[in-house]
Amino acid sequence: MEKSEKLKNNDLNRKNKVEKVRIVKSGYGNENLLKDFYDYLKEKNIQEVFGVEEADLIISLGGDGTMLIAAKEAITGNIPVLAVNMGSLGYLAEVKPQNAVKMLEDYENGNYKIEERAFLEVKYEDNIFYALNELVITKGGHEAHLIQVEVYSNDIFVNKYRADGIIVATPTGSTAYSLSAGGSIVHPGLNALSITPLAPQSLTARPIIVDGCEVLSFKATSRDEAVHLNIDGNQWFQIQQNDLVSARLSKKKIRIVKPMDSDYYSILRQKLKWGDSVL
């Protein structure tokens, strides 16, 4: 199978020959939980490679933070990602370590499904960056003044937020920082972006969900000239008053290998503990 060939969501029975894998892992996971997994790679003569362009599959070993790193690598080669959850939350990385071997076998045997998640395409100073979760425009520090962020959609003025900052999240990122800041959960199948203000001065400044095809642009100002742009928590820039930042939902997507019985709503119920007693 050519790596450039796209898997569709209805191609549930495609078998895959895995000979080389790119492993992205967190330094905080318990490697003992992966003994069977590493033994399986050795038994099947599956080689670990460090150049993503050589890999048949990317394997993320960690939490959702590790998955963000894997996603940036996957975007360059259109290579699917199998995410094993070595953390505690794991909206994206839902495969447990004890099930890693079975999930890899299922992928090889065609017993899996692919879930596609769209990236946020961020343009800043003629450079393009990709975020799986969000971009954040925020004040420079705890003692910095509130900033003002003007938001435009297709050059039409939306609102001016006076706040600690704003979060622009993909549907994937809607269960991350945006959710913690009071934003809505957005189903990953929707072509939408959410704008969530951070500690706004006005109580009427509420989160809003917009069409993902719209191009959002931002102008940020601050009395102490300390405004930062944060992309997925791992890229930071200090932006100046006249700097232009824009974003839209990208056509580029990450393809995540999931178990056949994977269910988005059951993941939400489990991770958010819906229905649990508060006593």
Side-chain angles (χ1 to χ4, degrees):
M1 180 181 68
E2 295 293 332
K3 293 180 183 177
S4 61
E5 182 179 358
K6 293 184 178 179
L7 291 175
K8 303 299 183 180
N9 284 331
N10 58 354
D11 287 342
L12 301 179
N13 299 310
R14 187 188 299 271
K15 294 185 178 182
N16 303 277
K17 180 66 174 176
V18 178
E19 297 178 335
K20 297 179 180 181
V21 295
R22 165 72 174 124
I23 296 178
V24 179
K25 62 183 178 180
S26 163
Y28 301 100
N30 184 354
E31 290 281 296
N32 293 328
L33 298 175
L34 295 167
K35 182 181 183 304
D36 291 344
F37 172 73
Y38 286 119
D39 286 346
Y40 179 83
L41 295 185
K42 185 175 181 180
E43 175 189 342
K44 297 296 183 180
N45 198 29
I46 297 174
Q47 180 184 356
E48 180 181 356
V49 296
F50 296 94
V52 68
E53 67 281 351
E54 302 177 57
D56 303 305
L57 180 69
I58 297 173
I59 300 177
S60 171
L61 304 176
D64 285 349
T66 308
M67 184 64 174
L68 294 181
I69 298 172
K72 298 296 173 62
E73 296 197 15
I75 198 173
T76 63
N78 193 29
I79 299 170
V81 179
L82 191 163
V84 179
N85 183 18
M86 305 295 293
S88 57
L89 200 55
Y91 288 99
L92 294 173
E94 62 176 286
V95 177
K96 296 179 180 179
Q98 59 268 33
N99 296 330
V101 170
K102 182 180 185 304
M103 189 67 250
L104 184 52
E105 289 178 328
D106 285 347
Y107 177 69
E108 293 179 297
N109 294 326
N111 186 29
Y112 67 96
K113 64 181 179 180
I114 289 289
E115 184 173 283
E116 294 185 336
R117 299 289 186 100
F119 286 91
L120 182 68
E121 185 175 295
V122 183
K123 186 175 182 180
Y124 172 60
E125 292 192 333
D126 296 324
N127 295 311
I128 302 294
F129 305 91
Y130 292 96
L132 188 59
N133 272 354
E134 75 277 303
L135 74 80
V136 182
I137 297 175
T138 183
K139 66 180 187 179
H142 294 297
E143 297 182 0
H145 293 93
L146 295 180
I147 63 174
Q148 290 190 141
V149 184
E150 295 181 8
V151 180
Y152 297 82
S153 175
N154 292 342
D155 295 325
I156 298 173
F157 179 65
V158 175
N159 196 10
K160 179 189 289 185
Y161 295 95
R162 182 169 171 78
D164 282 354
I166 64 166
I167 303 169
V168 179
T170 65
T172 297
S174 71
T175 52
Y177 192 9
S178 178
L179 182 62
S180 299
S184 299
I185 296 173
V186 182
H187 190 282
L190 292 177
N191 183 41
L193 292 172
S194 59
I195 305 170
T196 303
L198 282 169
Q201 185 181 56
S202 171
L203 293 178
T204 61
R206 311 307 300 166
I208 182 173
I209 298 173
V210 301
D211 190 330
C213 293
E214 298 177 9
V215 178
L216 301 178
S217 54
F218 315 93
K219 296 179 182 178
T221 57
S222 169
R223 276 195 287 169
D224 43 24
E225 298 183 352
V227 181
H228 289 174
L229 170 64
N230 184 319
I231 300 173
D232 259 359
N234 53 38
Q235 291 177 294
W236 294 269
F237 306 92
Q238 183 167 345
I239 59 178
Q240 306 302 319
Q241 181 171 340
N242 294 322
D243 289 350
L244 293 179
V245 181
S246 64
R248 67 182 301 169
L249 204 60
S250 175
K251 293 182 179 180
K252 293 182 180 292
K253 297 181 179 182
I254 184 175
R255 297 180 292 128
I256 307 173
V257 179
K258 295 275 189 175
M260 285 289 285
D261 60 355
S262 177
D263 174 4
Y264 177 71
Y265 296 108
S266 69
I267 293 171
L268 288 183
R269 288 195 303 272
Q270 176 189 354
K271 302 304 180 181
L272 299 177
K273 301 191 183 301
W274 286 348
D276 284 7
S277 172
V278 296
L279 299 178

